[in-house]
Amino acid sequence: MEYYHFTVKMSFCYLSVFCVSSCSSGVGSAGVKAVLDRLNVVLVRHLQHGRRVSVGELGTFRYTIGSPGVIDEKTFDTNLIREPKVRFYPGKALQGLSRARLVLRSWSRRKTKRRKKRMAETAIDRRSNN
């Protein structure tokens, strides 16, 4: 038997919930949402100009683009350029997440699912034996 680590999908935090939970700084949820909405516009503008955008301790965004190599400059065609991507590099605030905590959380979640399945199978066995 082999064991693998896998990412467990946790519940989803919607923007409205995120904004409300971010209000402890004294800014209302409407203010937080306004800043996040504006962040998209500002990010796009700076990324289009080829700049890396640092968002403090949260991290850095940058635009990546590439193409396969060609032997001669004359043989290069713009169709060779791969689709551009936006990369996010987490800052210290997000890098501080403990790998051990994430791994343990994943394994415990997996274990819980197995336990529930075994308990259900045991309950069915008990019913069929009676």
Side-chain angles (χ1 to χ4, degrees):
M1 181 185 292
E2 294 178 330
Y3 293 92
Y4 297 93
H5 179 271
F6 61 96
T7 304
V8 176
K9 293 180 181 172
M10 302 294 189
S11 60
F12 193 80
C13 179
Y14 292 95
L15 181 61
S16 58
V17 175
F18 181 80
C19 289
V20 170
S21 60
S22 300
C23 292
S24 62
S25 63
V27 178
S29 63
V32 173
K33 184 170 182 340
V35 168
L36 291 173
D37 287 343
R38 187 70 184 151
L39 181 64
N40 288 328
V41 175
V42 173
L43 271 173
V44 169
R45 183 182 320 133
H46 288 289
L47 291 171
Q48 284 177 337
H49 286 91
R51 297 182 186 114
R52 290 177 291 158
V53 181
S54 173
V55 190
E57 290 183 15
L58 184 65
T60 303
F61 292 87
R62 82 178 177 118
Y63 200 58
T64 61
I65 193 167
S67 69
V70 292
I71 298 172
D72 190 337
E73 191 177 321
K74 294 177 185 175
T75 59
F76 183 79
D77 186 29
T78 55
N79 292 329
L80 294 173
I81 297 173
R82 289 186 214 109
E83 186 176 346
K85 296 179 182 177
V86 175
R87 297 281 316 260
F88 173 72
Y89 298 92
K92 289 184 180 182
L94 295 178
Q95 287 176 356
L97 293 174
S98 167
R99 273 192 183 169
R101 182 188 306 158
L102 293 174
V103 170
L104 289 175
R105 182 175 252 176
S106 313
W107 281 110
S108 66
R109 182 80 177 245
R110 185 174 182 190
K111 209 173 194 178
T112 303
K113 284 183 180 178
R114 284 187 186 157
R115 245 186 246 139
K116 286 180 182 178
K117 186 177 179 182
R118 272 192 240 132
M119 287 171 59
E121 289 171 353
T122 307
I124 292 170
D125 288 342
R126 286 182 189 161
R127 286 185 210 144
S128 62
N129 289 337
N130 288 337

